[in-house]
């Protein structure tokens, strides 16, 4: 196995172990049980469970960037909504259990600076992507020039975070959020003289 | 001590213990240590830590309803923003530690139906209050008659949930959310011929 394959295999095992056990009770042995590696081999690659989970958050971040960086629409508002959809639509194999484990990890952020740093990176990346799209839409006249791209991007990230939290806490679908964000883009982001061709 | 005083004292101790220890590591002994009661006395009132925490969520719910049910503004949009502020402004004594413990409890919802039931009650109550205000504003002509009060209320709850999650995960202030929601109410909720007197 190459180093890359080994790391990929361990990340897959970490994913499965988080789904099965959640974050709070997770042990290196749980991850080893989901992996082809022994617990000793895991410790050879990662000093601690904490190190392994930091590497796992980096791995998720790379996947998130890959999944969201190539969205594109014909016009800026379509690109914006495509990005929103890419964030709301979890990959097919993402389970409720996994969303729950991620929320558990989010709740550790105040005690774990290395978790906070990595979780913040997701939000910053997403805010930057949204800001770029919003600025492009202002530049080409599609979007309202009075709209503040930074604040609007930050607001959209808050909405998406809320939808992810509610999915775990209340088992609630994201359809209402998707519909309301489409409406928000139409009434708040688009320039007044633009109409959306639905 | 009356039953009410005893229960109030135990709820205060639970609050302090959650702030000091978080949810995952919390024990009945930790709560007893913050209380005038012994661990045995706590067990006399509550069969398990889980029962005590359910009672604590009920206690928080009562406080939340009290804090948010009497907000009132001169006009529906002012009442709406006053309610948003009442949710965003945590009580003075609420610490970051407490918000973190609540997010930990939120992350347990899929495994703990009694937690989920109680957490959902907060969101349902808030959505109902918001819907009432939105419907009143449509009825008196302040709000856009095309606006769907149920969907809009649900969306506002999602935004407020996102702001609470980000406060924990990223240590982020709620000021941007507050500003953007005020703008949202202005551009999306108010009838087109209304202007906000700022």
């Amino acid at each position: 196995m190459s180093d890359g394959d080994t790391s990929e295999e361990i990340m897959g095992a970490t994913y499965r172990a988080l789904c099965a056990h959640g974050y709070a009770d997770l042990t290196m042995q749980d991850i080893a049980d989901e992996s082809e590696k022994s617990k000793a081999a895991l410790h050879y690659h990662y000093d601690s469970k904490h190190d392994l989970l930091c590497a796992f958050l980096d791995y998720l971040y790379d996947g998130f960037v890959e999944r969201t960086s190539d969205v594109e629409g014909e016009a800026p508002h379509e690109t914006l909504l495509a990005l929103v959809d890419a964030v709301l639509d979890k990959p097919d194999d993402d389970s409720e259990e996994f969303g729950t484990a991620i929320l558990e990890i989010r709740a550790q952020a105040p005690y774990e600076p290395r978790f906070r740093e990595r979780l913040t990176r997701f939000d910053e990346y997403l805010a930057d992507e949204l800001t770029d799209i919003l600025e492009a839409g202002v530049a080409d006249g599609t979007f309202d020039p009075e709209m503040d791209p930074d604040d609007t991007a930050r607001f959209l990230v808050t909405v998406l975070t809320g939808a992810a939290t509610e999915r775990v806490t209340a088992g609630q679908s994201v359809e209402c959020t998707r519909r309301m964000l489409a409406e928000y883009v139409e009434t708040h982001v688009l320039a007044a003289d633009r109409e959306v061709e639905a």
Side-chain angles (χ1 to χ4, degrees), chain A:
Chain A
M1 252 191 189
S2 75
D3 280 0
D5 287 347
T6 298
S7 150
E8 186 80 23
E9 203 273 329
I10 296 175
M11 295 297 110
T14 305
Y15 176 87
R16 292 187 294 277
L18 275 170
C19 290
H21 303 279
Y23 164 79
D25 299 328
L26 190 72
T27 64
M28 286 293 251
Q29 186 59 57
D30 293 330
I31 300 171
D33 289 345
E34 296 286 343
S35 162
E36 293 161 18
K37 301 265 175 292
S38 67
K39 188 176 151 196
L42 290 186
H43 275 294
Y44 172 80
H45 292 283
Y46 304 97
D47 279 345
S48 65
K49 187 180 84 170
H50 193 257
D51 278 346
L52 197 163
L53 286 173
C54 285
F56 183 67
L57 289 175
D58 291 337
Y59 167 82
L60 289 182
Y61 177 80
D62 292 340
F64 182 70
V65 170
E66 198 177 324
R67 197 154 57 80
T68 55
S69 64
D70 61 346
V71 294
E72 213 159 326
E74 302 249 319
H77 80 268
E78 285 168 10
T79 309
L80 191 63
L81 291 177
L83 178 52
V84 164
D85 280 347
V87 177
L88 286 176
D89 292 327
K90 302 291 172 189
D92 288 344
D93 54 351
D94 252 24
S95 61
E96 187 187 5
E97 286 75 20
F98 186 63
T100 304
I102 291 296
L103 194 60
E104 286 186 88
I105 292 175
R106 270 187 175 270
Q108 297 307 309
Y111 312 119
E112 303 283 2
R114 293 170 68 206
F115 286 176
R116 171 168 280 179
E117 188 187 303
R118 283 167 174 80
L119 292 166
T120 308
R121 216 168 135 221
F122 280 81
D123 291 353
E124 293 302 329
Y125 163 77
L126 184 56
D128 285 348
E129 290 286 300
L130 290 164
T131 303
D132 286 350
I133 299 169
L134 291 164
E135 284 175 347
V138 171
D140 81 358
T142 318
F143 290 166
D144 181 357
E146 301 289 308
M147 179 263 303
D148 182 319
D150 284 324
D151 275 0
T152 303
R154 181 62 60 195
F155 182 67
L156 293 172
V157 172
T158 301
V159 176
L160 294 169
T161 301
T165 304
E166 286 181 342
R167 197 198 308 242
V168 171
T169 307
Q172 193 174 295
S173 118
V174 297
E175 284 320 308
C176 178
T177 305
R178 190 193 306 274
R179 203 166 57 243
M180 293 306 288
L181 280 180
E183 225 177 285
Y184 178 76
V185 168
E186 195 174 330
T187 58
H188 182 91
V189 176
L190 279 179
D193 59 346
R194 297 285 171 149
E195 283 197 16
V196 180
E197 294 119 40

